[in-house]
Amino acid sequence: MNYKTQKEAAKKGILTKEMEIVAGKESLEPQKIIDLIASGQVALPANKNHTALSPEGIGGGLRTKINVNLGISKDCKDYEKEFQKVQLALHYGCDAIMDLSNYGKTNTFRRELIRMSPAMIGTVPMYDAIGYLEKELADITAEDFLKVIEAHAKEGVDFMTIHAGITRHSVEVFKSTKRLTNIVSRGGSLLFAWMEMTGNENPFYEHYEKVLEILREYDVTISLGDALRPGSTHDSSDSSQISELIELGRLTKEAWKKDVQVIVEGPGHMAINEIAANMVLQKRLCHNAPFYVLGPLVTDIAPGYDHITSAIGGAIAATNGADFLCYVTPAEHLRLPELEDVKEGIIASRIAAHAADIAKGLPGARAVDDKMSDARRRLDWEEMFSLAIDGEKARRYYESVRTADDHSCSMCGKMCAMNTTNLILEGKNIELNTN
């Protein structure tokens, strides 16, 4: 094998087995996938040590992918429950799982996750540093942070969120902005605190070349984290967000020079009327690198329903250029999600992603919708359930109130529009008052 990373292989015109699988999944010619990866418009996160991986591509011209966040915290450290969430996420078709565990020795959970998951695995090494190193934040050195990145890479992590764009300069911009919600990125806030307490530059920025060397060795895709993403609609599109985005564009090119694949992370909260312009701006500033967004949440007043505020924003974002949606659950801002929260978040994100793929005119995106519409016309309930994103729920709702006429549901009964039209077109009469 005369290449280290998927990007290096693509630049040399080599079709890897992972590229071939992605081309098949996306119904694209293999050469098209090679060209997209070589240009950086598509990333194919595939750590050489993640042997259970079913490869996926993320980027322009491909199906919109979704990520599920999982992991333990100090207050909720039930590994068995987290693995139940993993199984649920895989069952409902997630493309990636991020282990955001932030308490104790998290590598036991992460190693098992990598061993059994066909979905891409991502992490945020900054979260793990304190537990892994058993040091207080202010006592951690730049070399310590690099050790954590290397440990995650060796274990088989496919992509890592690294907040390399928050610098001493961007911190000054942030302070002058006087935000309503300050810094809401967990990793970003920890780096900000470390920089302020030590007086040092961001270690991931200062030692970016070394970070890239580690990632290149294992073919880990860098997901350039947006430490200064807006945490409220009030703060969206402000100077803090945009100044960091400009820096992320520069860091993207530096990574590509080292043949490290790149994903760029985007805003968390944003009013609907700003989303499309932000997607275009990101693609311009970050040279069409794949864009990964958390939502964005389009209003701040719906705790308990933020899977909906996120799906609205995600559909608009993906229609206008975002390539990768991070799910948001009803528990966002409130607690670690339970199993039902995870399911609701996945379904909402899949709806948003699929709706965007239809709007973008991706080949074949509308095909399943056409099949569903045809099944509805024919009142073929079994086929409808098989085509639904959540067929189990659809069946449960339908069967909860049965009607005298099995052709219809309890909403319309004998007045079912489909049945009425079908009968008339068949030359039959309809009778509404008969038992």
Side-chain angles (χ1 to χ4, degrees):
M1 184 173 69
N2 59 343
Y3 61 88
K4 280 281 190 181
T5 71
Q6 296 289 329
K7 184 167 179 61
E8 183 184 2
K11 286 166 65 176
K12 292 179 175 180
I14 298 171
L15 177 67
T16 67
K17 65 180 187 297
E18 292 84 5
M19 293 180 201
E20 192 168 12
I21 291 170
V22 169
K25 288 181 176 182
E26 302 286 346
S27 299
L28 292 175
E29 291 297 320
Q31 187 60 49
K32 180 66 173 177
I33 293 295
I34 291 175
D35 293 343
L36 289 169
I37 294 173
S39 70
Q41 294 178 66
V42 163
L44 198 169
N47 188 312
K48 64 183 183 181
N49 291 335
H50 186 182
T51 57
L53 178 69
S54 178
E56 296 285 356
I58 302 169
L62 307 187
R63 178 175 57 84
T64 305
K65 306 305 188 298
I66 70 164
N67 171 71
V68 169
N69 289 340
L70 299 170
I72 62 164
S73 67
K74 186 173 183 179
D75 297 302
C76 299
K77 45 184 180 287
D78 187 335
Y79 285 100
E80 183 177 344
K81 181 177 285 188
E82 288 309 299
F83 273 113
Q84 289 175 358
K85 295 176 187 176
V86 170
Q87 296 295 346
L88 189 73
L90 295 174
H91 174 73
Y92 283 104
C94 76
D95 303 291
I97 296 173
M98 289 199 78
D99 173 20
L100 304 188
S101 297
N102 58 44
Y103 175 73
K105 298 296 185 183
T106 63
N107 55 358
T108 301
F109 176 73
R110 186 166 53 253
R111 286 172 180 168
E112 178 60 18
L113 181 61
I114 292 166
R115 185 196 67 77
M116 54 78 67
S117 174
M120 297 174 281
I121 302 300
T123 59
V124 186
M126 187 69 196
Y127 293 178
D128 194 29
I130 294 172
Y132 180 86
L133 299 166
E134 296 183 331
K135 290 183 178 182
E136 286 298 329
L137 181 62
D139 298 327
I140 298 175
T141 66
E143 291 72 23
D144 288 333
F145 285 124
L146 294 176
K147 287 178 185 177
V148 180
I149 291 176
E150 187 160 20
H152 284 216
K154 284 181 178 179
E155 288 169 4
V157 170
D158 301 299
F159 65 101
M160 291 185 204
T161 293
I162 308 252
H163 297 92
I166 179 171
T167 64
R168 300 297 306 173
H169 170 71
S170 59
V171 165
E172 293 309 310
V173 174
F174 156 68
K175 288 179 178 178
S176 69
T177 304
K178 304 298 182 184
R179 278 183 158 186
L180 185 62
T181 47
N182 291 322
I183 297 175
V184 299
S185 159
R186 187 193 304 169
S189 68
L190 291 172
L191 269 175
F192 168 71
W194 186 87
M195 292 162 68
E196 291 293 290
M197 288 190 292
T198 64
N200 295 328
E201 180 57 275
N202 177 350
F204 303 130
Y205 176 80
E206 186 175 11
H207 301 281
Y208 190 59
E209 188 167 335
K210 179 60 178 176
V211 170
L212 295 178
E213 287 176 10
I214 295 169
L215 300 184
R216 182 178 186 275
E217 180 65 27
Y218 299 91
D219 197 4
V220 178
T221 297
I222 187 168
S223 189
L224 288 168
D226 50 340
L228 297 175
R229 69 173 180 265
S232 64
T233 55
H234 179 278
D235 295 337
S236 62
S237 306
D238 69 359
S239 56
S240 294
Q241 176 197 337
I242 303 304
S243 65
E244 182 183 35
L245 185 61
I246 292 169
E247 185 60 49
L248 295 183
R250 190 186 71 78
L251 294 173
T252 294
K253 280 198 165 182
E254 291 301 310
W256 285 345
K257 288 178 185 176
K258 300 290 186 180
D259 293 329
V260 174
Q261 299 183 94
V262 177
I263 299 168
V264 179
E265 299 186 12
H269 292 239
M270 183 164 286
I272 285 175
N273 61 306
E274 297 180 40
I275 295 174
N278 266 264
M279 300 305 108
V280 173
L281 182 64
Q282 185 278 339
K283 289 286 185 174
R284 175 72 63 85
L285 293 177
C286 296
H287 321 292
N288 288 316
F291 198 22
Y292 176 26
V293 295
L294 179 68
L297 281 64
V298 296
T299 181
D300 306 318
I301 61 168
Y305 299 90
D306 277 330
H307 59 309
I308 297 173
T309 66
S310 169
I312 294 168
I316 298 168
T319 298
N320 289 281
D323 308 292
F324 195 20
L325 303 182
C326 186
Y327 92 147
V328 172
T329 78
E332 186 77 7
H333 302 113
L334 301 171
R335 69 176 187 198
L336 196 72
E338 298 289 346
L339 281 168
E340 188 60 26
D341 299 324
V342 171
K343 177 185 172 182
E344 292 290 327
I346 294 169
I347 298 299
S349 291
R350 284 199 58 196
I351 292 169
H354 182 64
D357 289 346
I358 293 173
K360 289 187 287 190
L362 288 187
R366 191 185 291 273
V368 68
D369 294 74
D370 290 344
K371 289 179 181 178
M372 175 65 86
S373 298
D374 182 62
R376 281 179 172 153
R377 176 183 57 80
R378 292 181 284 105
L379 295 167
D380 187 331
W381 297 98
E382 289 301 321
E383 186 173 348
M384 286 185 246
F385 300 148
S386 72
L387 294 168
I389 287 178
D390 184 359
E392 298 165 6
K393 183 175 183 178
R395 180 187 296 277
R396 188 171 70 250
Y397 272 44
Y398 173 70
E399 293 181 348
S400 64
V401 183
R402 298 305 297 265
T403 62
D405 187 346
D406 284 339
H407 290 297
S408 63
C409 72
S410 58
M411 172 67 79
C412 297
K414 285 183 174 293
M415 292 188 182
C416 173
M418 295 292 191
N419 195 39
T420 296
T421 306
N422 290 343
L423 289 171
I424 295 300
L425 289 175
E426 292 169 9
K428 299 176 183 178
N429 294 327
I430 61 168
E431 295 178 347
L432 301 179
N433 291 317
T434 58
N435 293 328

